[in-house]
Amino acid sequence: MAMENFRQFLVALSATVLFGVVSIIFVLVWVLQYREGLAWDGAAGEFNWHPLLMVAGFIFIQGIAIIVYRLPFTWQCSKLLMKFIHAGLHLVSFILAVISVVAVFDFHNGAKIPNMYSLHSWLGLTAVALYCLQLVLGVGIYLIPITPVYWRAAFMPLHIYSGLFLFTSVVAVALMGITEKLIFGLNNPKYKDLPPEAIFVNVLGLLLVIFGALILWIATRPSWKRPSEQVLHTLHTDGGGEDNTKVGPSLSQLTEGADSETTGDVRKRLNKLDGAD
Ligand code: HEM
Ligand code: HEM
């Protein structure tokens, strides 16, 4: 199925993947070249898993999970399969975030550094907890088949808002963490003397902001939204026949008295049933 402004979508998607991958490479170079490398020994090498897993898992994978429904080459896949992919990627992102938090707690306990004293840690742990809630509610409402269709549609605007809000918060929390680490970690020359490590990691912060902005852009373009199952079904079967296995009014009911209505119009109307399929 054709997507409106497909070229712009491809440009936005390529830029998103590029900025995301380069951000992960930047964290790797930071911890391996400028810092103590990676290890699981209660020392600095263990702390370094924290930024790496947060950027690769909680930011990059979460971002991709959010836009996965928007990829036009997945539109021929069933909605159920896409739900499993969306939920599965969010689950992976959550697991990596938990391991990342364990790494920093373990490091703090080993080095006798207090836990949970900073705003970064308060907001960060809250984001991880709310993300878990979003995941459980998402599975309960959209994957378990007994949830009424009415609930699914009613909950969707909240699901989308809280998902985008959490994603944005996680990027902001990462920026706070990066700044803290530069202030703690750079001594002689200090952060204020702007050594090469500071410039490099400031650029990492910029890359994360651009990645976040691109994900939000893609996820909020109405014309790039995955069409409703009913529109896809109608186009695949090349007709407006009723399909009693689908939820909501049939296409023929929706288009009654509007023979000249275009597919775009039908799609707009059906999208009002957001989350019902
Ligand atoms: C500590 C969460 C990203 C640097 C913490 C703690 C949490 C947390 C919950 C508290 C651990 C404790 O008290 O023992 C998050 C979340 C992130 C994130 C949700 C999401 C992206 C980052 C990044 C860095 C970073 C990218 C960059 C190096 C730190 C530092 C600490 C810390 C230096 C120890 C000081 C403190 O407790 O504030 N983080 N973090 N964090 N994080 Fe992050
Ligand atoms: C859509 C976030 C977990 C089902 C969305 C959207 C966001 C989002 C931002 C809007 C995407 C768009 O408009 O293209 C999240 C977050 C989750 C999560 C942050 C985990 C923490 C889940 C789970 C399910 C689920 C576990 C269960 C299947 C859906 C569905 C849509 C959706 C059905 C509508 C897609 C569409 O009709 O185009 N989610 N989600 N989500 N999500 Fe989630």
Side-chain angles (χ1 to χ4, degrees), residues 62 66 69-70 79 83 86-87 90 131 134-135 138-139 142-143 156 159-160 163-164 219 225-226:
Q62 180 183 177
I66 284 175
Y69 291 111
R70 304 243 165 188
K79 183 72 176 273
K83 284 187 192 179
H86 177 75
H90 279 303
Y131 190 76
Q134 170 95 347
L135 198 56
V139 171
Y142 299 108
L143 269 187
M156 189 43 76
H159 181 81
I160 295 177
L164 296 178
K225 204 171 159 37
R226 179 188 164 98

Side-chain angles (χ1 to χ4, degrees), residues 27 130 193:
V27 191
L130 291 178
D193 301 321

Side-chain angles (χ1 to χ4, degrees), residues 162-273:
S162 48
L164 296 178
F165 180 71
L166 271 173
F167 173 73
T168 312
S169 309
V170 168
V171 174
V173 167
L175 301 180
M176 299 172 85
I178 285 173
T179 308
E180 267 189 7
K181 184 66 184 171
L182 287 173
I183 293 171
F184 298 154
L186 290 172
N187 282 306
N188 204 18
K190 292 188 156 157
Y191 190 17
K192 67 177 170 57
D193 301 321
L194 205 60
E197 178 178 345
I199 297 173
F200 186 78
V201 180
N202 283 355
V203 172
L204 166 63
L206 292 177
L207 294 173
L208 292 176
V209 170
I210 296 169
F211 175 76
L214 286 166
I215 292 286
L216 292 179
W217 178 260
I218 293 177
T220 53
R221 287 320 82 210
S223 61
W224 291 347
K225 204 171 159 37
R226 179 188 164 98
S228 145
E229 286 295 81
Q230 297 178 46
V231 170
L232 285 171
H233 176 79
T234 309
L235 291 172
H236 285 160
T237 53
D238 199 25
E242 298 221 4
D243 178 355
N244 294 330
T245 62
K246 306 285 185 234
V247 288
S250 71
L251 194 73
S252 51
Q253 278 167 315
L254 283 165
T255 56
E256 217 173 349
D259 290 344
S260 60
E261 204 167 22
T262 62
T263 310
D265 294 331
V266 175
R267 185 182 140 143
K268 272 177 209 142
R269 284 192 188 199
L270 284 165
N271 277 343
K272 290 200 181 128
L273 292 165

Side-chain angles (χ1 to χ4, degrees), residues 15-251:
T16 307
V17 173
L18 184 75
F19 277 98
V21 170
V22 174
S23 303
I24 297 172
I25 294 172
F26 263 59
V27 191
L28 270 172
V29 172
W30 183 24
V31 299
L32 296 176
Q33 293 291 120
Y34 290 103
R35 294 273 131 204
E36 309 77 7
L38 294 166
W40 200 273
D41 54 4
E46 185 165 337
F47 170 83
N48 290 342
W49 282 106
H50 179 66
L52 180 61
L53 294 179
M54 284 303 185
V55 169
F58 213 24
I59 296 183
F60 183 71
I61 297 180
Q62 180 183 177
I64 299 300
I66 284 175
I67 59 163
V68 86
Y69 291 111
R70 304 243 165 188
L71 306 174
F73 37 88
T74 68
W75 289 353
Q76 75 264 33
C77 302
S78 75
K79 183 72 176 273
L80 185 64
L81 174 66
M82 294 318 295
K83 284 187 192 179
F84 274 112
I85 294 175
H86 177 75
L89 286 171
H90 279 303
L91 181 65
V92 172
S93 158
F94 174 67
I95 291 170
L96 295 179
V98 170
I99 298 173
S100 163
V101 168
V102 170
V104 62
F105 269 91
D106 208 39
F107 162 69
H108 275 183
N109 294 341
K112 305 254 178 316
I113 300 170
N115 291 312
M116 300 305 296
Y117 63 85
S118 64
L119 180 58
H120 167 76
S121 61
W122 294 1
L123 291 176
L125 203 63
T126 308
V128 175
L130 291 178
Y131 190 76
C132 180
L133 180 68
Q134 170 95 347
L135 198 56
V136 170
L137 286 177
V139 171
I141 296 176
Y142 299 108
L143 269 187
I144 297 179
I146 54 165
T147 312
V149 167
Y150 169 76
W151 283 23
R152 293 185 174 201
F155 188 73
M156 189 43 76
L158 186 62
H159 181 81
I160 295 177
Y161 170 78
S162 48
L164 296 178
F165 180 71
L166 271 173
F167 173 73
T168 312
S169 309
V170 168
V171 174
V173 167
L175 301 180
M176 299 172 85
I178 285 173
T179 308
E180 267 189 7
K181 184 66 184 171
L182 287 173
I183 293 171
F184 298 154
L186 290 172
N187 282 306
N188 204 18
K190 292 188 156 157
Y191 190 17
K192 67 177 170 57
D193 301 321
L194 205 60
E197 178 178 345
I199 297 173
F200 186 78
V201 180
N202 283 355
V203 172
L204 166 63
L206 292 177
L207 294 173
L208 292 176
V209 170
I210 296 169
F211 175 76
L214 286 166
I215 292 286
L216 292 179
W217 178 260
I218 293 177
T220 53
R221 287 320 82 210
S223 61
W224 291 347
K225 204 171 159 37
R226 179 188 164 98
S228 145
E229 286 295 81
Q230 297 178 46
V231 170
L232 285 171
H233 176 79
T234 309
L235 291 172
H236 285 160
T237 53
D238 199 25
E242 298 221 4
D243 178 355
N244 294 330
T245 62
K246 306 285 185 234
V247 288
S250 71
L251 194 73

